[in-house]
Amino acid sequence: MIKTRTSFALVAASALLLLTGCSGGGDSNANEADTNDTAGTSEASSSAQASSAPAPAGDQSKADACQIVQEQFQAVSQAGSSIDTSDPQATLTQFRELATQVDTEFGGITNEEVAPAAQKASGALNEYATFLDGLIADPNTASGLSDQVTALQESFTDAATVCAG
């Protein structure tokens, strides 16, 4: 049982660390896009996204949408360094909370160019959390790890690419 717990935590942590590279490329480009747009929009965007009423479709700038993507990618990257490898259930709880946070924030993206990629990344993170839940219940499901990690990486890379363009 200890071997399964250790490998689960390492699987979870490694996936987040692999995503760090995806978020790194998107971070600088999203910042650049935000800087090239209108100064100070990132703070306004964050507070606008926190409100209960989403902006009408098409009213959100690409830079504002990419700022949300950047912030969530940073949260995902930072989560990789704070995983408690000794407690698989706590790791799963952290993944669930992270997936919920990303889902909520990406759900507020209304920019028509960024929203589809953000939703795909959010869905892939939710699927990965579900996969981890299944891995705790049945360690024999680890054979699907490669496909799950690949889907997660690709979805995050796609969102970063949209924001880089």
Side-chain angles (χ1 to χ4, degrees), residues 6 55 63 66 76 86 94 130 148-149 151 165:
T6 301
C66 287
V76 169
S86 66
Q94 184 177 2
T130 300
Q148 289 292 322
V149 170

Side-chain angles (χ1 to χ4, degrees), residues 75-122:
V76 169
S77 295
Q78 290 169 355
S81 63
S82 65
I83 287 180
D84 179 4
T85 58
S86 66
D87 188 351
Q89 196 57 48
T91 300
L92 181 58
T93 299
Q94 184 177 2
F95 261 92
R96 286 274 177 222
E97 290 170 358
L98 186 61
T100 298
Q101 174 188 331
V102 170
D103 194 44
T104 299
E105 292 298 319
F106 283 7
I109 295 176
T110 59
N111 179 275
E112 293 177 2
E113 187 176 350
V114 178
Q119 292 301 314
K120 181 180 176 187
S122 177

Side-chain angles (χ1 to χ4, degrees), residues 149-163:
V149 170
T150 298
L152 191 57
Q153 283 179 308
E154 287 176 355
S155 68
F156 274 59
T157 299
D158 290 349
T161 300
V162 168
C163 286

